[in-house]
Amino acid sequence: MSTQTAPDESFENAHVLDPAASTASQEDISTEIRDIHEAYRQQVLAGAKEETQPRVDFAPYRSSLLRHPTKNLHHTDPETIELHSPAFGQRDVHILESDLTIQHNGEPIGERIVVAGRVLDGDGRPVAGQLIEVWQANAAGRYVHKRDQHPAPIDPNFTGVGRAITGPNGEYSFTTIKPAPYPWKNHHNAWRPAHIHFSLFGTDFTQRMITQMYFPGDPLFALDPIYQAITDQKARDRLVATYDHSITSHEWATGYNWDIVLTGSNRTWMEDEEGDH
Amino acid sequence: MAQAPELKLVPTPGQTIGPFYGYALPFEKGNELVNQAHPAAVRLHGVVYDGNGEVIPDSMLEIWQADEHGNVASADGSLVRDGYTFTGFGRVPVDNVGHYTFTTVNPGPTEEGKAPFIMLTVFARGLLNRLFTRIYLPEDTEALANDPLLASLPEDRRKTLIAAREEDGSLRFDIRLQGEDETVFLSYPRES
């Protein structure tokens, strides 16, 4: 496990700001977000393609200023290794690792939930037998990570890390505790909407992705420069789980559904093409 | 090359890995694709820099590669390593000074005459979506000259993708997210 430390978004040096951060107010950040979104809407009205991914250059998220490429991504056709993906299996992940509420001696505090869904590729095919990893804050908005010094309680019965291998139809299910929002240091009085981090693999390594799942109706959505770095509302909605009463279980846990779509595999069509020669 | 078929579904957006993955994603021997005692073991290392040339201490890297014979692994055990099976996958958080090390082998060419490379994915706090790039081995200059990706890049950009071989046999590959000598990052067909 990593033990690295750095004085930035943590609270261990509360007086030290990220050099790239400012003392901007929420109003400043919200105005910047609004201006970028308005410019995007005008581009779409003028015929530009709708965006589906976050911008990597998104100034309201101050830490992105010096950490995004300024040159366009260079388009390339994948070679053999890029058409395959590392393999994970039952050797790698125990079946109980998908229940984040049973990792310690007692029950964690908070609202017990089940988050379930499917991992699909861009062709709608299930991604079966692949690794899916999650991590999150506890019910008080605190991560176990030593750099998180937010003065909210650590729950001795909750670590907030889960893993699973997707089923034959790409399905997964995690039992956990609903995470709380937490403060961070992007700007004055900055709060992240509650979220669960997800890490995903596909059948091609080019489909690798890490993202965050949010909960419906979070009042912090409009204020959050990480979520709003996705300029398109339809794309933003794809990160929000749906309350699903068919996943909710009697006297036990409420349920949320969230399906994840990876990019398209290039293996099938490129191999078919090779077969044509 | 034929046109890639259209996607049926719109991909889910990515988001930053954030600052607090350190207790969740790194795993034991994640940076050891082979044991250091393996006869073909090679150190792959370097530093991750931001646009000011400052090191990035909270980045996580993953590599995926063929073995020394150019074979693509399909064995599981990428996460719980048995110390013997080459699975081709590695994951490492950089250290406090932005430095990373993998212990691996030089990948062989996956097809005769192709320039061998290691696929690299970069995650970091402040980086809103993952980045892909390639780490080419420096030796086979003819294969490098014939590589379609490298051939499509101007000289000053091409060199950002080719690792340096150090005296002790290590591969050195620095990653610059921004600025002069910014690393070439890649996009692939069928991303949207």
Side-chain angles (χ1 to χ4, degrees):
Chain A
M1 293 291 140
S2 165
T3 52
Q4 59 189 292
T5 56
D8 31 52
E9 283 170 14
S10 75
F11 281 72
E12 62 191 337
N13 291 299
H15 59 288
V16 180
L17 281 175
D18 186 318
S22 70
T23 51
S25 66
Q26 179 65 57
E27 197 173 29
D28 298 334
I29 295 293
S30 294
T31 302
E32 290 179 35
I33 291 171
R34 212 160 32 238
D35 290 349
I36 295 168
H37 285 194
E38 181 53 28
Y40 166 70
R41 273 189 292 274
Q42 294 303 325
Q43 282 172 31
V44 171
L45 286 173
K49 199 174 175 214
E50 285 182 357
E51 295 178 9
T52 64
Q53 294 293 321
R55 300 234 176 131
V56 289
D57 176 10
F58 197 74
Y61 177 29
R62 296 295 192 241
S63 305
S64 78
L65 286 170
L66 292 168
R67 294 183 172 196
H68 71 270
T70 54
K71 298 183 169 65
N72 289 334
L73 299 181
H74 190 84
H75 188 83
T76 193
D77 285 320
E79 302 277 352
T80 302
I81 188 71
E82 291 160 318
L83 299 174
H84 294 83
S85 201
F88 302 92
Q90 299 310 331
R91 176 207 300 270
D92 297 291
V93 180
H94 193 277
I95 194 154
L96 295 180
E97 290 184 67
S98 62
D99 189 340
L100 288 75
T101 67
I102 57 168
Q103 297 173 352
H104 301 275
N105 289 330
E107 286 275 344
I109 300 287
E111 184 182 338
R112 189 186 298 115
I113 61 170
V114 170
V115 179
R118 298 173 73 202
V119 183
L120 304 169
D121 71 10
D123 294 306
R125 294 180 305 197
V127 176
Q130 246 320 354
L131 177 66
I132 173 167
E133 297 163 279
V134 297
W135 73 103
Q136 62 167 89
N138 68 19
R142 179 81 185 262
Y143 285 86
V144 168
H145 196 290
K146 67 182 269 194
R147 274 175 51 201
D148 184 3
Q149 299 290 311
H150 169 38
I154 283 177
D155 184 341
N157 291 316
F158 190 76
T159 303
V161 177
R163 291 187 198 91
I165 300 290
T166 54
N169 296 308
E171 66 272 35
Y172 73 88
S173 176
F174 289 103
T175 300
T176 186
I177 294 295
K178 195 175 182 186
Y182 59 83
W184 60 310
K185 297 176 74 164
N186 186 69
H187 55 278
H188 183 69
N189 202 15
W191 289 78
R192 296 286 340 273
H195 60 273
I196 299 176
H197 295 268
F198 274 71
S199 165
L200 301 139
F201 292 79
T203 53
D204 305 14
F205 200 62
T206 57
Q207 295 170 296
R208 178 85 179 93
M209 78 171 307
I210 283 182
T211 190
Q212 300 179 22
M213 186 211 86
Y214 300 90
F215 292 88
D218 197 312
L220 294 166
F221 281 155
L223 309 181
D224 179 41
I226 292 179
Y227 181 64
Q228 298 294 337
I230 306 160
T231 54
D232 191 277
Q233 182 67 55
K234 291 195 294 291
R236 284 198 295 278
D237 290 345
R238 293 188 185 106
L239 292 183
V240 183
T242 307
Y243 173 75
D244 187 335
H245 204 65
S246 73
I247 299 173
T248 295
S249 53
H250 181 66
E251 294 184 358
W252 187 247
T254 53
Y256 291 86
N257 173 250
W258 191 52
D259 291 340
I260 302 142
V261 180
L262 307 180
T263 59
S265 165
N266 287 301
R267 201 192 304 174
T268 311
W269 75 273
M270 289 184 78
E271 283 178 355
D272 287 351
E273 189 182 301
E274 264 178 27
D276 288 344
H277 292 311
Chain B
M1 176 73 59
Q3 191 72 28
E6 292 280 316
L7 297 184
K8 295 194 179 81
L9 300 177
V10 182
T12 305
Q15 292 270 265
T16 180
I17 193 172
F20 299 136
Y21 54 84
Y23 75 101
L25 294 180
F27 58 94
E28 199 181 343
K29 297 184 178 173
N31 64 339
E32 292 184 21
L33 285 78
V34 296
N35 189 283
Q36 286 178 26
H38 187 288
V42 166
R43 182 188 194 198
L44 164 66
H45 73 126
V47 173
V48 186
Y49 294 101
D50 73 9
N52 274 350
E54 303 285 342
V55 302
I56 297 183
D58 43 15
S59 165
M60 189 184 86
L61 307 177
E62 289 180 354
I63 59 171
W64 166 235
Q65 65 166 88
D67 69 12
E68 63 267 48
H69 310 295
N71 298 319
V72 180
S74 57
D76 64 10
S78 284
L79 201 64
V80 177
R81 299 194 186 281
D82 66 12
Y84 295 93
T85 308
F86 183 82
T87 72
F89 175 71
R91 175 187 285 173
V92 69
V94 300
D95 65 18
N96 291 336
V97 289
H99 189 262
Y100 73 92
T101 291
F102 288 103
T103 308
T104 186
V105 293
N106 292 313
T110 50
E111 287 85 19
E112 205 181 318
K114 283 271 178 89
F117 65 84
I118 295 167
M119 199 180 171
L120 174 72
T121 311
V122 182
F123 305 93
R125 180 182 69 83
L127 178 60
L128 279 154
N129 213 348
R130 83 277 175 272
L131 295 169
F132 294 114
T133 191
R134 291 179 182 176
I135 304 171
Y136 283 90
L137 305 190
E139 280 82 16
D140 191 344
T141 50
E142 192 183 336
L144 291 172
N146 292 328
D147 183 83
L149 167 61
L150 295 178
S152 69
L153 292 165
E155 180 57 34
D156 61 326
R157 300 280 288 144
R158 183 183 311 148
K159 66 175 197 276
T160 71
L161 299 185
I162 302 173
R165 185 73 67 181
E166 299 183 315
E167 271 180 31
D168 65 357
S170 298
L171 286 167
R172 172 80 189 205
F173 188 85
D174 291 339
I175 298 147
R176 292 180 172 80
L177 295 190
Q178 194 184 90
E180 225 175 300
D181 296 329
E182 181 177 306
T183 304
V184 173
F185 296 104
L186 304 174
S187 68
Y188 297 96
R190 315 196 75 217
E191 288 187 347
S192 62

